[in-house]
Amino acid sequence: MTATGLLEVTAVRCPTPRTVRVTFTGDGLEELEAWPDQQLKLLFPPPGRPVRLPAVDGDVLRWYQAYLEIPEAERPVMRSYTVRDRAPATIDVEFVLHPGADGPATAWARTAAPGQVLGRYGPDAAYRRPVPAAGTVLLAGDETALPAIATLLSEVDNAAAFVEVADAAEEQPLPHVRWLHRDGAEHGSRLLEAVRDTALPAGSAAWLAGEASTVRALRRHLVERGLDKTAIEFTGYWRRKLTQDDAPTPEDLADAREKLGG
């Protein structure tokens, strides 16, 4: 499959008050192999401009270098997302409408309409993450992790799944999920409390995603309880008060070293 291309919006709906689900079609999607937790980069054009894609394909390092060489005024903003669902020639992506000032992706999602066009890089099988294998698999995250958790539940029969959302209105029809409502509490606090109170048999595995500091706290707690670090898949999808364009923090760099086994 071609790693880069254009995506056209064919449908927009809101499964919850704070979630926008967008259906895209585009060249190459019919060739897309399905796997759980399938990630891709979406490229949002500057206001009033069409999407300009790098003029190379294939190797991600060459592609990213070509992306950086696009003049800043024309360079699209790149953000990471997970495929929520797919059909033979379409994919669905969910956008969470966070409170506070909108970033470029959230601002786009609020007014998304059929016919609009974004760019993409991926999904790329080189970044496919393994499905945790164990007697019990803990899946834990906030609303940004819900698309990935939904796809993982289709592959994991022995999951204990926890999803923290703003309130009851943010629940989606999804079996085997324990929903945790913040209802004004600090982001991540309900999720941490629920995981701490959950019994996990020896030899369990875990998959964690969502706000970065919450993911770190969850992982630290599970390691203290005896889970092997190699049995924990973890990703910070977003950072409080920071965007993907901001420089990595020392904690972000430490996470990257852990993932690389350093």
Side-chain angles (χ1 to χ4, degrees):
M1 169 187 163
T2 302
T4 188
L6 296 177
L7 295 171
E8 181 178 345
V9 177
T10 61
V12 180
R13 52 208 181 279
C14 295
T16 76
R18 297 178 181 87
T19 303
V20 178
R21 184 178 297 167
V22 180
T23 299
F24 295 98
T25 190
D27 291 342
L29 293 185
E30 66 278 0
E31 305 166 14
L32 179 62
E33 177 190 359
W35 64 82
D37 190 12
Q38 191 168 50
Q39 300 176 23
L40 78 163
K41 306 287 188 183
L42 294 180
L43 287 82
F44 301 84
R49 291 182 178 270
V51 181
R52 179 172 173 181
L53 296 177
V56 300
D57 195 5
D59 179 78
V60 64
L61 294 179
R62 290 179 56 246
W63 182 92
Y64 186 64
Q65 183 60 44
Y67 165 79
L68 294 177
E69 291 171 358
I70 296 174
E72 187 173 355
E74 302 175 25
R75 188 187 307 147
V77 173
M78 185 163 54
R79 294 290 185 265
S80 300
Y81 282 90
T82 305
V83 175
R84 174 64 170 82
D85 199 4
R86 64 183 299 270
T90 64
I91 57 171
D92 286 357
V93 177
E94 287 189 351
F95 298 81
V96 176
L97 305 180
H98 293 286
D102 286 346
T106 302
W108 180 88
R110 288 189 189 278
T111 59
Q116 291 179 329
V117 175
L118 298 182
R120 67 166 174 86
Y121 183 89
D124 189 337
Y127 297 94
R128 183 172 181 170
R129 298 169 65 189
V131 176
T136 297
V137 178
L138 172 70
L139 306 175
D142 61 17
E143 47 271 88
T144 64
L146 183 54
I149 288 175
T151 61
L152 286 164
L153 283 171
S154 68
E155 298 288 330
V156 179
D157 296 326
N158 49 342
F162 297 85
V163 180
E164 183 189 281
V165 294
D167 52 42
E170 293 305 302
E171 295 186 15
Q172 296 191 30
L174 196 62
H176 312 304
V177 168
R178 178 179 170 187
W179 297 97
L180 309 167
H181 306 149
R182 283 191 293 278
D183 289 329
E186 182 181 4
H187 195 110
S189 60
R190 305 292 194 204
L191 190 59
L192 283 164
E193 180 182 7
V195 171
R196 287 169 178 157
D197 291 344
T198 298
L200 293 173
S204 296
W207 182 99
L208 315 171
E211 193 278 318
S213 66
T214 301
V215 170
R216 291 188 192 101
L218 286 167
R219 182 171 180 267
R220 185 165 51 248
H221 166 73
L222 293 173
V223 170
E224 290 172 352
R225 286 178 60 174
L227 262 72
D228 192 294
K229 288 184 178 181
T230 61
I232 305 174
E233 284 286 330
F234 66 102
T235 303
Y237 282 167
W238 61 283
R239 303 176 293 173
R240 300 185 201 191
K241 301 182 181 179
L242 295 172
T243 74
Q244 291 186 22
D245 299 320
D246 293 311
T249 65
E251 292 82 6
D252 296 329
L253 295 174
D255 288 349
R257 286 193 295 271
E258 285 276 2
K259 284 178 170 291
L260 293 172

